[in-house]
Structure formats: structure tokens, C-alpha cells
């Protein structure tokens, strides 16, 4: 396979970025253990068919290499028209009638081109959730069990088809659909006509959903925060590859290269934390996200009715699963731990799930522990770097610590105003346990990571 430019890095070992235009399919081999298996897996993702779920690149991490810029064509353009009108239907008594009036259009390979599948999944997933949740009668029902799982065939049939073409087991609105495949820049001059953009420019202040559900500032800030978090930590993909290669090649300075890569991953976690902190319940903030509006509309809208997989959730963020893999998390006994592990099967793209399995197999923590018997600076440097990474991710002021603080800010207000069910748990009712109990659950889950310190 031909390669293009090398990734700029302070490590002695260089990673390569493939040229565009390659067409062979992604064929991951999780049991592969030869030098650079993580790097080769990422390189293979550049060649994967366009319709496969998830993105994985050195330049953009888990964000798409190119943003959506082209509308659906032919008869399928009706999905574009209906999705564009969702904000006007949010509180309309006619919402279900309008959404069920769609024509039944097939979405198989002979009907919908591969390059349009991801965008079709976004449109249909948002239309489906709007059918379930829009209208005053459905907006504030006290339990998900009160929401009918009925969907018109004109929505359910093509939604099922496009999700299956992406490698999913069935219809489900994921974080990929709702956020990653559905953002663009406020400035119409960015991105380029082909969708090219600089990942460092993808910050809350500069981006918006292409197709919003409600079209308000709360939705814009909250959904954009997921992009900002993953843009700030995009280089973590490159760094885990650097760390694995340094371990495998060894050499007298191998431990120093590993330590340097771990410290750069820690900085990715800190960058994600800074982005996360932007979500603010303060009216005078430039990134104000109204907790009442958030609780009564957007995060209720993301919850599907019984019988469908969990909807988009922060626990499905690729960054969280990458960090868990790097620190070698093994405990998933808490409520949040079991929930996060369950989401791997429904919310995480298979491509990313297998990448995280490869990271687990690299066993960075095991490498650090292997240096303990020798002692000296080799162990001290790598131990310090590894523990700094754990702290940046799971420490009191790290990414997960900030998340626990946001729970108090937002779930507390949400409970007071009547939102009594969490975003994605089927049976977790906030009003039954209070938002402080929810924060305690998160604290226990954080402890399952903190024990990974060396």
C-alpha cells in the first residue's frame, strides 16, 4: 500500500498517513500482535467502504475526515425536507401526522448510494425520535414506558436498512448520527465545498448542527460540546499508536518514548476537560446551555421507547472507551460500568470497538509494571506518566471529575423541573434516587478507573 506524508511527532517512530482514494475494505484482525498493529488498523480504516459506521484517522481522531456537504438526491430528498422542518414540529399537535405522511422509500444498495448512507441514517434517526417525542402530549410523559414504540413503515423500514448497511444490528440513533455526522461550521466559508476542515477549528463557539431537532441555543451548545471534546483530544489516536510501537521496538530509550506518548495522551484528556467545562448553566456565559430547556426537551428527546437500544449518551463517547482501554480498566461492576459496557454493543461503531480491543491487548499498564523489578528511572518515568494519564482522565479535576460536577448542575435542575429519567438508562429514574445519588454512582464508576494507578 502506498503512503503519503508522515505524521509530525516528537517520537522517533513515525506513523504514516495513506493517500486518499483507496478502496479496499477494512478487515480488522484483533488477534494480530506484530509491530505496529494499532497503526496498521488505523491506516486500514482510511480504506474502509464509505457506508461503514464510525471514523478513525490520525488527523481527526474519531471525528469525520470530511463533513457532510451534499444533500440526498432523487426521491430520498424528501427526508431532507422533512428533517429541515423538525424545529417547527416540536410542539405541534400535527407532528405525528406530518412525519407519518412520508412515502415508503427503499434504502438498499440498489436504491441509495453508499456515500449517502450515513447521512440518511442521521436524517431517519432524527425523524424517528421526533415521531416518538414531538407534540405537547408526548413531550413530558413521566416514563419512557408511556411512549409508544410504534413507527410508520415509511420511517422504520428504510431506517433499519441503512443501519444494517452501516454494520449495526438494527435501527438506533447513535452519537455518530446525532452529533459527529451532523455538524458544520456557523461560518459558511468553512468547511470547504468538499467538506474539508481543520479539526482544531471544531469548537463549540464555531459550529452548529446541520439538522437540529429543536434549533435552539441549548441544543447547539450541548451537541457541539461532544465535537469540541473529541476535536481537542483527536491526537490521542496517533499517540496510542506511538506508545504501542515504542513498546514493541524497545531499545534503550523505549521507555522514554512510551512515557512521552502517555503524557501526550494525558494532555488530550486535559484538552477534552477544558472543552467539557465550556458547557455552562450561567446566563452570562458565551456557551450558556440552559439546564431547564436541556432537561425538558433535548435530552428527553434522545431517549427511545422500550424495545429499542439505548439512545446517544456521553457514556458512548469514543474518548471514554479509548481512555478506559489505555489505562487497562477491568472493573465494570458499578451501575455506570455495566451501562457503559452495554453501550459498546449498540452505540459504538464496530470499527472503534475493535480498535479499543487492540489497545487493551497492547496492555500499556502491564508494560509499566514490567519495569518495576528493574527499578530506577525507567520505571519511575513511565509510572509517573501513566499515573498522570489516569489522573487527567479519572482524577477529581480530570475529565470524569468534571462530568460528575455537571451532573449536579444539570440533573439537579432537571429533577426539580420534572425530568425524572436519565438520558439513556431504561430503568434509572432520577426522581427515585435524586441527582446526588446519580453523582454517587458516577463516583463509584470513577473509582473503577482510579484503581488502575501503578
Amino acid at each position: 500500500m502506498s503512503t503519503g506524508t508522515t505524521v509530525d511527532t516528537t517520537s522517533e517512530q513515525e506513523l504514516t498517513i495513506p493517500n486518499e482514494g483507496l478502496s479496499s475494505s477494512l478487515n480488522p484482525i484483533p488477534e494480530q500482535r506484530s509491530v505496529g498493529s494499532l497503526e496498521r488498523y488505523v491506516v486500514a480504516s482510511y480504506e474502509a467502504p464509505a457506508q461503514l459506521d464510525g471514523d478513525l484517522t490520525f488527523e481527526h481522531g474519531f471525528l469525520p475526515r470530511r463533513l457532510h456537504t451534499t444533500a440526498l438526491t432523487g426521491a430520498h430528498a424528501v427526508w431532507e425536507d422533512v428533517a429541515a422542518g423538525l424545529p417547527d414540529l416540536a410542539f405541534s399537535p400535527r407532528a405525528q401526522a406530518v412525519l407519518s405522511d412520508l412515502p415508503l422509500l427503499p434504502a438498499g444498495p440498489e436504491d441509495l448510494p453508499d456515500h449517502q448512507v450515513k447521512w440518511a441514517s442521521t436524517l431517519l434517526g432524527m425523524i424517528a425520535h421526533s415521531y416518538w417525542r414531538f407534540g405537547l402530549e408526548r413531550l413530558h410523559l413521566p416514563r419512557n414506558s408511556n411512549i409508544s414504540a410504534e413507527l410508520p413503515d415509511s420511517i422504520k423500514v428504510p431506517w433499519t436498512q441503512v443501519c444494517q448497511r452501516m454494520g449495526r444490528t438494527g435501527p438506533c440513533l447513535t452519537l455518530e448520527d446525532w452529533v459527529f455526522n451532523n455538524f458544520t461550521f456557523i461560518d459558511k466559508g468553512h468547511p470547504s465545498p468538499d467538506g474539508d476542515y481543520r479539526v482544531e477549528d471544531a469548537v463549540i463557539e464555531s459550529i452548529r448542527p446541520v439538522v437540529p431537532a429543536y434549533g435552539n441555543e441549548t441544543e447547539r451548545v450541548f451537541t457541539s460540546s461532544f465535537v469540541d471534546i473529541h476535536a481537542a483530544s483527536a491526537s490521542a489516536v496517533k499517540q496510542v499508536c506511538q506508545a504501542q510501537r515504542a513498546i514493541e521496538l524497545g531499545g534503550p530509550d523505549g521507555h522514554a518514548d512510551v512515557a512521552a506518548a502517555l503524557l501526550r495522551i494525558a494532555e488530550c484528556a486535559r484538552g477534552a476537560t477544558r472543552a467539557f467545562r465550556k458547557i455552562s448553566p450561567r446566563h452570562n456565559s458565551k456557551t450558556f446551555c440552559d439546564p431547564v430547556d436541556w432537561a425538558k426537551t433535548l435530552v428527553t428527546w434522545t431517549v427511545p421507547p422500550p424495545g429499542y437500544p439505548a439512545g446517544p449518551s456521553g457514556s458512548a463517547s469514543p474518548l471514554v472507551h479509548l481512555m478506559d482501554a489505555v489505562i487497562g480498566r477491568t472493573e465494570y461492576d458499578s451501575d455506570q460500568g455495566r451501562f457503559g459496557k452495554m453501550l459498546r454493543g449498540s452505540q459504538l461503531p464496530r470499527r472503534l470497538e475493535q480498535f479499543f480491543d487492540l489497545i487493551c491487548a497492547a496492555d500499556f499498564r502491564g508494560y509499566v509494571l514490567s519495569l518495576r523489578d528493574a527499578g530506577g528511572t525507567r520505571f519511575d518515568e513511565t509510572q509517573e506518566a501513566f499515573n498522570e494519564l489516569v489522573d487527567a482522565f479519572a482524577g477529581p479535576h480530570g475529565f470524569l471529575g468534571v462530568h460528575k460536577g455537571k451532573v449536579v448542575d444539570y440533573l439537579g435542575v432537571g429533577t426539580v423541573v420534572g425530568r425524572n429519567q436519565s438520558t439513556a438508562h431504561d430503568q434509572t429514574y432520577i426522581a427515585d434516587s435524586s441527582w446526588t445519588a446519580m453523582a454517587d454512582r458516577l463516583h463509584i464508576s470513577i473509582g473503577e478507573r482510579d484503581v488502575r494507578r501503578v
Side-chain angles (χ1 to χ4, degrees):
M1 180 167 94
S2 63
T3 57
T5 58
T6 60
V7 177
D8 182 24
T9 176
T10 57
S11 170
E12 293 180 0
Q13 306 301 329
E14 293 184 332
L15 304 184
T16 56
I17 298 177
N19 291 323
E20 300 291 343
L22 298 173
S23 59
S24 64
S25 62
L26 181 65
N27 185 24
I29 308 176
E31 67 274 12
Q32 190 172 11
R33 295 292 180 271
S34 55
V35 174
S37 59
L38 283 176
E39 177 187 346
R40 288 198 305 279
Y41 186 89
V42 176
V43 169
S45 75
Y46 287 77
E47 308 174 46
Q51 78 277 12
L52 285 188
D53 203 5
D55 287 278
L56 178 65
T57 65
F58 295 123
E59 309 97 325
H60 293 85
F62 303 117
L63 296 177
R65 276 182 285 172
R66 293 187 178 90
L67 302 186
H68 165 75
T69 59
T70 307
L72 299 183
T73 56
H76 297 93
V78 68
W79 298 339
E80 297 270 4
D81 297 336
V82 171
L86 290 180
D88 294 331
L89 293 175
F91 307 104
S92 170
R94 299 183 57 252
Q96 282 68 43
V98 171
L99 296 176
S100 62
D101 196 38
L102 281 167
L104 175 57
L105 300 172
E110 67 281 3
D111 307 298
L112 188 71
D114 286 349
H115 70 275
Q116 294 186 353
V117 168
K118 285 186 177 182
W119 184 237
S121 179
T122 290
L123 296 176
L124 290 167
M126 296 191 68
I127 290 171
H129 274 250
S130 299
Y131 183 87
W132 287 323
R133 291 293 185 173
F134 276 3
L136 294 179
E137 291 184 357
R138 302 187 180 205
L139 184 61
H140 302 307
L141 289 175
R143 292 288 189 266
N144 289 350
S145 57
N146 297 119
I147 300 292
S148 171
E150 175 191 0
L151 271 182
D153 284 346
S154 57
I155 300 173
K156 185 175 182 178
V157 171
W159 190 26
T160 300
Q161 286 180 306
V162 296
C163 286
Q164 289 175 341
R165 288 179 64 183
M166 293 171 70
R168 303 175 189 169
T169 57
C172 177
L173 180 72
T174 70
L175 203 60
E176 294 282 330
D177 299 322
W178 183 41
V179 177
F180 294 162
N181 295 332
N182 187 31
F183 81 91
T184 189
F185 286 81
I186 297 171
D187 179 1
K188 294 183 179 180
H190 197 169
S192 74
D194 292 331
D196 291 325
Y197 69 104
R198 298 196 315 164
V199 70
E200 57 267 31
D201 294 336
V203 296
I204 293 176
E205 298 86 343
S206 301
I207 59 178
R208 62 173 178 83
V210 178
V211 174
Y214 294 92
N216 55 25
E217 185 68 358
T218 295
E219 179 179 14
R220 190 196 70 79
V221 170
F222 187 69
T223 58
S224 297
S225 70
F226 287 99
V227 177
D228 198 339
I229 286 166
H230 286 81
S233 56
S235 65
V237 169
K238 177 177 67 176
Q239 298 309 327
V240 295
C241 296
Q242 295 281 7
Q244 185 204 35
R245 176 173 281 214
I247 289 173
E248 292 172 332
L249 294 180
D253 296 321
H255 71 284
D257 291 337
V258 174
L262 292 175
L263 289 175
R264 290 192 290 270
I265 299 171
E267 183 53 40
C268 288
R270 285 190 285 268
T273 302
R274 290 190 291 271
F276 201 175
R277 288 186 184 277
K278 292 181 185 179
I279 304 174
S280 175
R282 299 190 304 273
H283 282 273
N284 61 348
S285 171
K286 293 181 180 179
T287 49
F288 170 55
C289 181
D290 189 327
V292 175
D293 196 3
W294 176 86
K296 301 294 277 187
T297 58
L298 185 65
V299 292
T300 300
W301 176 88
T302 62
V303 184
Y308 280 84
S313 167
S315 297
S317 296
L319 174 66
V320 171
H321 290 267
L322 177 137
M323 292 293 177
D324 277 345
V326 172
I327 67 174
R329 181 185 183 186
T330 57
E331 295 185 23
Y332 292 88
D333 297 329
S334 66
D335 289 337
Q336 290 298 123
R338 288 191 293 271
F339 176 62
K341 196 170 185 179
M342 179 270 292
L343 285 178
R344 285 177 62 104
S346 60
Q347 280 280 321
L348 276 185
R350 185 65 55 84
R351 176 188 322 203
L352 302 190
E353 186 179 358
Q354 292 175 328
F355 181 59
F356 301 146
D357 287 343
L358 281 174
I359 296 174
C360 288
D363 193 9
F364 298 126
R365 185 173 185 270
Y367 170 79
V368 177
L369 289 172
S370 73
L371 301 176
R372 175 178 286 171
D373 292 340
T377 58
R378 295 177 74 241
F379 173 66
D380 292 343
E381 288 179 11
T382 51
Q383 178 195 37
E384 181 179 358
F386 186 87
N387 288 341
E388 185 169 337
L389 168 57
V390 175
D391 189 66
F393 175 50
H397 304 292
F399 183 80
L400 296 180
V402 169
H403 178 256
K404 188 177 73 171
K406 296 296 181 186
V407 166
V408 175
D409 287 343
Y410 281 85
L411 292 191
V413 173
T415 301
V416 170
V417 300
R419 180 199 177 219
N420 57 11
Q421 188 159 3
S422 70
T423 303
H425 287 276
D426 257 358
Q427 299 299 328
T428 300
Y429 301 124
I430 297 170
D432 292 347
S433 58
S434 87
W435 61 92
T436 56
M438 292 294 290
D440 288 342
R441 292 181 182 183
L442 290 173
H443 182 74
I444 294 170
S445 177
I446 289 172
E448 293 176 333
R449 281 88 168 209
D450 194 58
V451 297
R452 304 311 292 169
R453 295 177 188 273
V454 176

